[in-house]
Amino acid sequence: MGLDSYVNTFGVQCRQQFGQRLKKLTIDAKFTCPNRDGSLGRGGCTFCNVASFNHEHGTIETIGEQLAQGRARAQGKSSKFIAYFQAYTSTYDEYKVLKQKYDEAIKESDIVGLCVGTRPDCVPDEVIELLAQYQRQGLEVWLELGLQSANPATLKRINRGHGFDEYQDTVHRARLAGLKVCTHLILGLPGETHEDYIATHKAVLSVGVDGLKLHPLHIVEGSTMAKAWRAGRLPLLSQAEYAYSAAELIRFTPKDVVFHRVTAYAKKPMLLAPDWCGFRWDGLVAIVDNLAKNGGQGHYLSQAACLF
């Protein structure tokens, strides 16, 4: 059996709501980041690929062209799509610029949803209201927040430029406006242990969340972490360790929370390590195997309920 048998996935939700899986069409809308342009700092987060900073966006097509290419790659697997502003901080610009780009992405009738990836400290009230307007118009709207960890020492170590307070504030404002929030977490950040992942997960659930994305830390060319890895100062999770921790977080997650992703991969030569992150399905299979043996989403919560 696959992941859907053990986890409330985004694919499951889409089939229930739209009768089919929705393909996310990724968009690079030429945004930047306050942690790169000097507003907060330069160089970005230590896990981020900065090799292309001097050449960024040089050959990127228009939003419409990117969506057309995404449709072509889907090869008829879906007839409805979600426009996904994935690259960098996709709420970090003037309101009129954001609205223009979002409007361009959703103007075709086969675009039934909008996902916007950003930082917790870059979501003003006017942007929340704009996204809420799209949702009231009938679009499936998700605000994706890159938190990565709730540990203040870790956030400082990876040069994140914000704390958990900013995350908590943005989640409260977004959910109060009726928006769904998907939070990104990275397992394997320097200095963290399995107990830290559990603590971050618990903190995120306590604030309230609608969706989660789990990522293993992988080292990419051009990142600050690449230097530490080459110097032998950065231990990385094995596939088995990641599968165990990811599966444990899933078992602690209420069944109504939607998992948009439970692992991630990258391609060589950009990927430096770990090697297992270069294979799309291996990490996923390891997680599914663990879930099959030890219980799926919400397993620990249902066990606790049985005690009362």
Side-chain angles (χ1 to χ4, degrees):
M1 291 188 288
L3 184 68
D4 291 353
S5 299
Y6 307 103
V7 176
N8 180 19
T9 66
F10 187 65
V12 167
Q13 187 203 53
C14 290
R15 285 199 301 270
Q16 292 173 348
Q17 187 172 350
F18 296 97
Q20 61 177 276
R21 286 181 178 269
L22 301 182
K23 173 69 175 177
K24 289 184 179 180
L25 305 181
T26 59
I27 298 169
D28 184 342
K30 303 183 181 180
F31 294 114
T32 183
C33 173
N35 207 13
R36 296 174 49 179
D37 68 4
S39 299
L40 285 175
R42 295 193 181 277
C45 303
T46 59
F47 55 80
C48 184
N49 168 26
V50 297
S52 60
F53 278 15
N54 293 329
H55 310 285
E56 63 181 8
H57 312 307
T59 60
I60 290 177
E61 297 83 357
T62 67
I63 289 175
E65 290 170 340
Q66 291 181 62
L67 291 173
Q69 292 173 6
R71 288 186 184 92
R73 287 191 294 269
Q75 297 179 336
K77 295 180 180 178
S78 178
S79 61
K80 298 177 182 178
F81 304 95
I82 289 181
Y84 181 20
F85 285 85
Q86 181 182 36
Y88 303 116
T89 305
S90 297
T91 57
Y92 185 55
D93 212 323
E94 296 179 7
Y95 176 91
K96 62 180 182 180
V97 175
L98 296 174
K99 187 175 187 307
Q100 178 184 3
K101 292 182 177 183
Y102 298 160
D103 285 348
E104 182 180 355
I106 64 172
K107 66 181 181 180
E108 299 296 336
S109 61
D110 62 353
I111 303 295
V112 298
L114 177 67
C115 288
V116 177
T118 189
R119 294 164 52 93
D121 56 342
C122 292
V123 193
D125 287 340
E126 62 179 4
V127 174
I128 287 177
E129 174 55 27
L130 175 60
L131 296 177
Q133 288 177 21
Y134 292 128
Q135 183 163 275
R136 290 194 290 268
Q137 293 168 12
L139 286 174
E140 173 75 5
V141 179
W142 284 85
L143 178 65
E144 300 203 12
L145 298 178
L147 173 62
Q148 320 312 352
S149 173
N151 187 316
T154 299
L155 293 175
K156 183 177 181 179
R157 190 180 299 121
I158 64 176
N159 194 38
R160 189 65 187 163
H162 66 75
F164 190 73
D165 287 346
E166 291 91 332
Y167 166 81
Q168 184 170 245
D169 172 68
T170 296
V171 171
H172 282 158
R173 289 185 292 113
R175 299 185 88 217
L176 185 63
L179 290 178
K180 289 180 284 191
V181 174
C182 176
T183 300
H184 294 216
L185 304 177
I186 295 179
L187 310 189
L189 289 168
E192 291 209 336
T193 65
H194 176 77
E195 287 69 30
D196 291 301
Y197 317 150
I198 296 292
T200 286
H201 181 260
K202 183 178 181 180
V204 167
L205 291 180
S206 70
V207 172
V209 74
D210 306 284
L212 289 170
K213 275 189 176 180
L214 305 181
H215 305 254
L217 176 66
H218 49 264
I219 309 304
V220 295
E221 191 66 75
S223 66
T224 301
M225 282 189 184
K227 301 175 183 177
W229 174 77
R230 285 192 169 102
R233 301 195 304 268
L234 189 58
L236 300 173
L237 294 180
S238 68
Q239 181 175 283
E241 289 172 327
Y242 178 77
Y244 169 76
S245 289
E248 286 285 282
L249 294 189
I250 291 169
R251 282 187 280 273
F252 276 116
T253 304
K255 290 186 177 181
D256 60 341
V257 175
V258 178
F259 278 89
H260 290 232
R261 180 181 292 166
V262 298
T263 188
Y265 82 106
K267 296 180 180 179
K268 291 183 177 295
M270 185 60 68
L271 174 68
L272 298 179
D275 287 341
W276 65 267
C277 284
F279 300 94
R280 187 181 187 94
W281 300 111
D282 289 10
L284 181 60
V285 169
I287 293 170
V288 171
D289 286 347
N290 187 295
L291 295 171
K293 294 175 182 176
N294 302 301
Q297 184 171 344
H299 177 71
Y300 289 146
L301 305 180
S302 61
Q303 278 191 325
C306 291
L307 298 177
F308 297 95

